[in-house]
Amino acid sequence: MAVASGSARTPFIAGNWKMNLDHLQSIAFVQKLAWTLKDAHHDFSSVEVAVFPPFTDLRSVQTLVGSDELPIAYGGQDLSAHDSGAYTGEISGAFLAALDARYVIIGHSERRQYHGESDEQVAAKVAAAHRHGLVPVICVGETAEDLERHGPSAVPVSQLRTALEGVVRGQEVVVAYEPVWAIGSGQAATSEQAQQVAAALRATLAEVLGAEAAEATRILYGGSVKAANIAGFLREKDVDGALVGGASLQLEEFASIVRYQKHVI
Ligand code: PGA
């Protein structure tokens, strides 16, 4: 599919804090992040910034972002496929929406690996997110073994296809390509590898949701992203941002990733 030049996709840098930072630490972090980016004259309309704190932090982050009118988005790291009821320990999309969360990460490889989440469950969660007006950040990615057996794109494309089964045109999604072998390993994919899979994912989006939706959808790369490699990924035409884990917990490093457009490369 030909990609129109002058793409209108706003680059997106998202910090996945995983199980780190309690609510007090997250308030301090978000406040300092906002100051640091403001001091650096970061243009939030040119690169969107979002953080994904643990559930117990979200109310505090909402209060801070709301009262100080910070231009930082936030979301949950997961949600239940159900809206309410006897599901001990689960969090409804309705609760995230009530906290003004804009996004929710769905199908992160750590959920798939440690909680046995299937592609079908991911699809049900994507539908739940849309029922509550949240934008799902759908994570897909191959393991080292998948890579050896099937090449780089087959598994992520098939995961995405299933995840999109209930999505109808007009519903926004963000896709995060996160090769499992690159997460937390310090060994990021090359920007060429990320581009190759991102292009295959965009072609899948086009097939399922149409060319226009595919063109408008942001595809992130995730896996050992840091300030030293971010600009290379964002130079690729189908990579529109990053889902950052470890480096999103280091204030200066994360602020520098957000400001990748200023990097001299
Ligand atoms: P990492 O994690 O940046 O620490 O590799 C990425 C992720 O899991 O989203």
Side-chain angles (χ1 to χ4, degrees), residues 95-166:
F95 305 161
L96 295 176
L99 293 176
D100 301 325
R102 172 154 166 69
Y103 297 100
V104 59
I105 295 174
I106 298 179
H108 190 279
S109 68
E110 286 151 19
R111 299 293 313 174
R112 293 177 189 262
Q113 189 183 343
Y114 306 137
H115 301 269
E117 283 190 16
S118 65
D119 293 346
E120 289 68 27
Q121 280 169 312
V122 168
K125 290 182 174 196
V126 169
H130 282 141
R131 279 199 300 280
H132 298 290
L134 302 162
V135 177
V137 177
I138 304 170
C139 298
V140 297
E142 82 288 357
T143 63
E145 200 191 334
D146 294 332
L147 182 63
E148 216 166 279
R149 277 213 209 146
H150 310 287
S153 310
V155 167
V157 161
S158 132
Q159 289 173 335
L160 181 62
R161 212 179 274 285
T162 307
L164 293 176
E165 263 167 17

Side-chain angles (χ1 to χ4, degrees), residues 59-84:
R59 171 65 176 149
S60 306
V61 170
Q62 178 203 22
T63 304
L64 171 66
V65 166
S67 64
D68 290 9
E69 295 180 22
L70 305 181
I72 292 178
Y74 52 89
Q77 296 175 11
D78 182 34
L79 88 173
S80 173
H82 307 283
D83 295 340
S84 67

Side-chain angles (χ1 to χ4, degrees), residues 188-222:
T190 64
S191 49
E192 293 77 15
Q193 282 172 314
Q195 166 57 28
Q196 187 190 350
V197 178
L201 294 171
R202 198 174 303 285
T204 306
L205 287 164
E207 252 175 66
V208 179
L209 300 175
E212 204 180 312
E215 188 54 37
T217 299
R218 290 176 296 179
I219 299 178
L220 317 181
Y221 166 77

Side-chain angles (χ1 to χ4, degrees), residues 16 18 108-110 178 182-186 222-225 243-247:
N16 172 13
K18 311 192 180 189
H108 190 279
S109 68
E110 286 151 19
E178 299 209 301
I183 295 176
S185 67
S224 298
V225 168
L243 184 54
V244 185

